[in-house]
């Protein structure tokens, strides 16, 4: 059933935030990447993404050790095209670390047997504050 072309998930919860492999996708995933690029934490170079020096210190503040992520064999950050938004969100070890961080903080949890990621009201407030969008 997944091969039909459809403009993304009908389920609003899935559209808002969901897991894509091991990172955050959906509206929240797109917003997070847009915000990191807008704030200068991530440079978007062609199709590639690179964490800036500012980004390393900003991410350190929320408990993400970019240095240790860099030593893994996996790409630190890459963009992953979202099938619902046709917009990129953040994949790679940084994308995974951010999602793990939100779950450890209790901001978000996975729904079993689903790709949906649900943010608590407080988690959502913190997430939107952490990743503001320049209007």
């Amino acid at each position: 059933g997944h091969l039909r072309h459809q403009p993304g998930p009908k389920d609003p919860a899935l559209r808002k935030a969901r897991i894509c492999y091991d990172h955050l996708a959906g509206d929240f995933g797109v917003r997070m990447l847009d915000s990191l690029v807008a704030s200068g934490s991530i440079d978007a170079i062609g199709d590639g993404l690179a964490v800036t020096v500012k980004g390393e210190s900003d991410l350190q503040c929320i408990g993400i050790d970019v240095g240790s992520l860099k030593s893994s064999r996996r790409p630190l950050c890459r963009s992953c095209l979202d099938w619902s938004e046709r917009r990129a969100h953040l994949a790679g070890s940084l994308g995974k670390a951010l999602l793990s961080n939100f779950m450890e903080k209790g901001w978000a949890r996975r729904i079993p047997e689903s790709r949906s990621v649900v943010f608590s009201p407080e988690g959502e407030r913190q997430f939107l504050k952490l990743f503001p969008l320049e209007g």
Side-chain angles (χ1 to χ4, degrees):
H2 276 302
L3 294 174
R4 284 200 323 275
H5 284 294
Q6 51 197 33
K10 296 276 180 282
D11 180 348
L14 272 181
R15 193 175 270 287
K16 177 171 168 180
R18 66 179 172 278
I19 201 126
C20 175
Y21 302 103
D22 57 8
H23 53 265
L24 187 63
D27 293 339
F28 273 32
V30 170
R31 178 188 177 117
M32 183 170 76
L33 178 55
D34 285 350
S35 178
L36 286 165
V37 171
S39 70
S41 292
I42 289 184
D43 266 344
I45 309 133
D47 282 341
L49 297 176
V51 178
T52 62
V53 175
K54 175 185 189 293
E56 286 201 32
S57 67
D58 288 354
L59 290 161
Q60 196 78 53
C61 292
I62 62 164
I64 309 274
D65 182 358
V66 175
S68 72
L69 294 177
K70 277 182 175 163
S71 61
S72 100
R73 286 207 177 81
R74 189 172 170 188
L76 176 63
C77 49
R78 54 183 192 81
S79 62
C80 181
L81 203 59
D82 203 301
W83 49 285
S84 69
E85 308 307 324
R86 314 230 181 289
R87 304 272 310 285
H89 58 255
L90 184 63
S93 58
L94 179 57
K96 177 184 182 181
L98 280 160
L99 180 58
S100 304
N101 180 279
F102 305 151
M103 301 219 248
E104 280 157 24
K105 287 183 166 139
W107 291 5
R109 60 192 173 85
R110 287 279 313 267
I111 301 298
E113 311 300 316
S114 159
R115 289 174 59 202
S116 189
V117 174
V118 175
F119 280 72
S120 69
E122 176 62 10
E124 182 160 332
R125 212 172 58 79
Q126 297 286 353
F127 179 92
L128 297 177
K129 198 171 76 180
L130 193 58
F131 302 108
L133 285 184
E134 304 303 315

